[in-house]
């Protein structure tokens, strides 16, 4: 009943993503990390090959991948560079509310033209005073005839200000708390949307994160997802769906760090022998490898649950949290194995360590994942 | 235009070669890929199809994993594939492979046959030439530029100190050299469509071959690995003296100058 054998298509897709990471992403990753820019030519190439909008159904111009296969791709791309894989994958988060709650008309109208071109989308939930505490959002949507008028400020938004399509969470009635939160589809060219501050990040630097300011942004009422007050539910369902993929990216970062550490430990000679001949190093590598493998198992299990339509909230939170913690500890260990060289930007592992940190923070901090897990355990 | 490409499955370029207990090359757990020169051939076939229309068929002879590379070619854009299995053949050589491929090609329609100029594993560079010989076709080797017009192929090849441009009537056999093109990635869509494209599986018996006809004429007697690289030598001292010492060692110890 349990099988880890990939299908022929999954093998071919993994090979495609792996060679794309090796030939296209890795050679430029350090440069774009330094420049803190999205490599647009990579976005264009990835789009042409079908490495973007991967879980959007084929009928709406996506690739129609199941979540296990999406995880395979996400791991390979993040192996190349977490920031670039994030730039390519952020559409997955931003479009998920439409996939979950969109009507066939909304999907046809918004997903199809969006997916036809190399474009970026953004998911606008977080605000300066509402991070983990989503219920505190204060961006408002006020009904005006056939329109809603959105006002407010979102922060830390991946692709913020440069996206062609936004999914925006705003409250129609602050006094209603969670029950006031409503989700909207907002085209990027709607008047009143502007980019605020572009963030300077520790890692994940080839992706673009900025504030998005909404000033009297008029959105037709047809752009509401489900109905007024359903936004919180949609946001939670979205995160349930995308967290395992954050986990998959974490596995990619960790696996890269492990492989770099193995290679280096065989080459580096101290005390007359390669450092990998010391048991101290061997035990570190053994622990790192075990973490990578176990993290992938949890990620694939969560993705399998998603594909089966089974409840994923608890296992998905575990997969994201565990894989992110693994990425953090494995990259720290890789820097250690590289010694002084590991601390230098000429070697790849310090970037991996900087990149890994974000995995414990975005799409719900690891503390929030533990809250989700515990809530499931105690329910 | 009907094009047939003859890709071979080889070890990954980074595969670690080891010998098994019987002294044969160990295939266990080795990552297998499409021979890189054959990727150029597949790419060229697809470009010609895009330019002139037609159909690309990929044909490969070999073991049970060969469908992987055929599927890769289908995902890149080839139209159909034929796999001739190597069941029942203990040993093969270039004669075996060429005899089998040529026999199959007699039943196919083609204007052009493309292959890599050599396989990166055994490096014999014989199969395409032998196929051309058996079928009585003109052949151009190691091509870096190819144009097809009015039933003719005009091919450029690198020769010592320059280039040669040759013309042959079609059908012809052309082998690809690095530089001919940059092979495309199979797209996600291509990968999904590949499984719906026809892939025929044949045995040698299906081709009416067997016995002496396909028995190898050349037998490998022994394989051995290069002796491990010995420790390098560092010559210390003043540059001028060190250089003199290097020359002495190259002459007297290494005997290379
Ligand atoms: C690079 C990057 C990209 C991002 N992209 C997006 C995006 O595209 N769209 C979007 O909407 N958001 C995005 N975010 C925002 C991200 O999701 C939030 O940063 C995250 O949810 C945490 O919110 P916060 O930063 O406000 O931290 P806070 O919520 O202030 O948390 C601070 C600390 O307190 C802890 N904490 C908070 N509440 C509790 C509790 N109840 N119990 C225990 N500990 C608690 C947290 O775990 C954390 O350690 C991005 C952030 C970054 C850094
Ligand atoms: C920012 C910075 C500033 C520095 N400043 C100075 C300075 O001012 N002056 C100076 O002289 N040096 C300086 N250094 C060098 C620093 O002291 C060395 O980097 C450090 O001693 C480690 O040596 P290494 O980098 O060659 O790593 P290596 O010795 O190659 O070690 C690599 C890894 O192998 C492990 N290892 C090595 N041998 C063994 C063993 N026998 N058993 C188990 N594990 C082993 C190490 O613990 C490490 O994890 C600096 C380094 C940095 C990064």
């Amino acid at each position: 009943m349990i099988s880890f054998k990939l299908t022929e298509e999954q093998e071919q897709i993994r090979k495609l993503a792996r060679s794309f990471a090796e030939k296209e992403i890795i050679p430029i990753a350090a440069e774009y990390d330094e420049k803190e820019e999205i490599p647009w030519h990579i976005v264009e190439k990835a789009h042409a090959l079908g490495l973007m909008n991967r879980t959007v159904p084929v009928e709406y111009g996506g690739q129609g991948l199941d979540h296990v296969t999406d995880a395979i791709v996400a791991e390979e791309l993040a192996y190349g560079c977490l920031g670039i894989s994030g730039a390519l994958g952020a559409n997955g988060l931003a479009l998920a509310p439409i996939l979950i709650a969109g009507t066939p008309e909304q999907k046809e109208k918004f997903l199809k033209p969006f997916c036809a071109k190399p474009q970026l989308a953004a998911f606008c939930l977080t605000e300066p005073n509402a991070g983990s505490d989503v219920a505190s959002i204060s961006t408002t949507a006020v009904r005006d005839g056939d329109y809603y008028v959105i006002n407010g400020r979102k922060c830390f938004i991946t692709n913020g200000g440069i996206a062609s399509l936004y999914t925006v969470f705003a409250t129609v009635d602050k006094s209603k708390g969670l029950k006031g939160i409503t989700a909207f589809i907002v085209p990027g060219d709607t008047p009143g949307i502007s980019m605020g501050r572009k963030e300077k990040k520790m890692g994940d630097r080839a992706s673009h994160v900025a504030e998005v300011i909404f000033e009297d942004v008029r959105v037709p009422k047809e752009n509401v997802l489900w109905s007024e007050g359903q936004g919180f539910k949609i946001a939670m369902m979205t995160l349930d769906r995308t967290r395992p993929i954050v986990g998959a990216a974490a596995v990619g970062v960790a696996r890269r760090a492990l492989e770099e550490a193995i290679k280096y430990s065989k080459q580096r000679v101290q005390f007359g022998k390669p450092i990998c001949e010391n048991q101290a190093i061997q035990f570190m590598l053994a622990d790192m490898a075990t973490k990578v493998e176990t993290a992938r198992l949890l990620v694939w299990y969560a993705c399998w649950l998603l594909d089966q339509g089974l409840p994923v909230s608890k296992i998905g939170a575990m997969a994201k949290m565990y894989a992110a913690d693994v990425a953090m500890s494995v990259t720290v260990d890789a820097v250690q194995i590289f010694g002084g060289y590991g601390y230098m930007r000429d070697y790849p592992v310090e970037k991996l360590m900087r990149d890994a940190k974000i995995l414990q923070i975005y799409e719900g901090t690891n503390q929030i994942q533990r809250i989700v897990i515990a809530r499931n355990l105690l329910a | 235009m009907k094009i047939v490409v003859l890709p071979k499955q080889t070890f990954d370029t980074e595969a670690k070669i080891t010998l098994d207990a019987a002294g044969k090359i160990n295939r266990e757990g080795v990552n297998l890929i499409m021979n890189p020169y054959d990727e150029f051939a597949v790419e060229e076939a697809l470009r010609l199809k895009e330019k002139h229309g037609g159909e690309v068929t990929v044909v490969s002879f070999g073991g049970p994993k060969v469908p992987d590379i055929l599927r890769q070619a289908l995902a890149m854009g080839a139209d159909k594939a034929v796999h001739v299995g190597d069941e029942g053949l203990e040993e093969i050589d270039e004669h075996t492979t060429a005899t089998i491929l040529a026999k199959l090609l007699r039943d196919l329609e083609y204007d052009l046959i493309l292959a890599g100029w050599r396989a990166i594993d055994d490096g014999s560079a014989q199969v395409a030439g032998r196929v051309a010989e058996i079928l009585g076709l003109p052949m151009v080797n190691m091509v870096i530029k190819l144009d097809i017009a009015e039933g003719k192929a005009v091919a450029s090849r690198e020769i010592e100190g320059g280039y040669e441009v040759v013309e042959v009537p079609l059908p012809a056999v052309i082998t690809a050299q690095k530089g001919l093109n940059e092979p495309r990635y199979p797209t996600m869509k291509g990968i999904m469509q590949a499984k719906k494209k026809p892939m025929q599986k044949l045995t040698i018996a299906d081709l009416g071959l067997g016995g002496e006809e396909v028995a190898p004429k050349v037998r490998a007697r022994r394989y051995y690995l290069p002796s491990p690289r010995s420790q390098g030598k560092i010559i210390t001292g003043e540059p001028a003296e060190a250089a003199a010492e290097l020359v002495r060692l190259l002459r007297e110890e290494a005997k290379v100058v």
Side-chain angles (χ1 to χ4, degrees), chain A residues 62-230:
Chain A
Q63 303 304 324
L65 294 193
D66 56 64
H67 292 89
V68 171
T69 312
D70 190 28
I72 290 168
V73 176
E75 176 182 331
E76 296 304 330
L77 298 179
Y79 176 95
C81 171
L82 181 68
I84 295 172
S85 84
L88 301 178
N91 290 359
L93 172 65
L95 303 180
I98 306 177
L99 292 174
I100 290 166
T103 61
E105 295 74 39
Q106 285 172 328
K107 289 178 185 171
E108 184 76 24
K109 180 169 176 197
F110 295 106
L111 293 179
K112 222 173 182 177
F114 175 82
C115 292
K117 284 190 257 166
Q119 306 190 87
L120 302 176
F123 174 84
C124 298
L125 182 62
T126 306
E127 296 180 5
N129 295 316
S132 301
D133 181 13
V134 174
S136 296
I137 62 170
S138 59
T139 295
T140 55
V142 177
R143 184 75 185 255
D144 176 16
D146 287 342
Y147 286 81
Y148 284 87
V149 182
I150 300 178
N151 276 288
R153 181 178 285 259
K154 297 284 178 182
C155 71
F156 299 159
I157 304 304
T158 303
N159 298 334
I162 59 170
S164 309
L165 193 62
Y166 293 85
T167 41
V168 181
F169 296 82
T171 177
V172 291
D173 184 350
K174 188 115 209 259
S175 70
K176 286 193 184 153
L178 290 178
K179 295 206 166 66
I181 298 176
T182 306
F184 297 87
I185 306 170
V186 185
D189 57 5
T190 312
I193 303 178
S194 62
M195 177 158 57
R197 174 193 157 79
K198 181 185 174 224
E199 302 295 346
K200 301 196 193 93
K201 303 195 282 328
M202 169 196 283
D204 190 38
R205 287 162 54 160
S207 79
H208 167 103
V209 169
E211 278 183 317
V212 184
I213 298 157
F214 294 86
E215 260 177 313
D216 294 330
V217 175
R218 292 176 71 80
V219 180
K221 67 178 196 318
E222 291 74 38
N223 291 17
V224 171
L225 284 164
W226 275 340
S227 57
E228 277 192 13
Q230 299 290 325

Side-chain angles (χ1 to χ4, degrees), chain A residues 39 45 72 97 104 111 121 124 139 170 178 198-199 216 246 249 258 260 263 302 306 336-337 356 362:
Chain A
K45 268 193 195 167
I72 290 168
L111 293 179
C124 298
T139 295
L178 290 178
K198 181 185 174 224
E199 302 295 346
D216 294 330
V246 176
L258 169 67
E260 295 288 350
K263 198 164 71 185
L306 271 173
Q336 190 63 23
I337 288 173
Y362 61 17

Side-chain angles (χ1 to χ4, degrees), chain A residues 19-39:
Chain A
S19 51
F20 190 79
E22 261 161 26
K23 291 191 201 138
E24 313 289 337
I25 297 180
I26 292 176
I28 55 134
E31 178 194 343
Y32 283 84
D33 173 65
E34 194 79 33
K35 291 205 289 203
E36 301 191 53
E37 275 174 23
I38 294 178

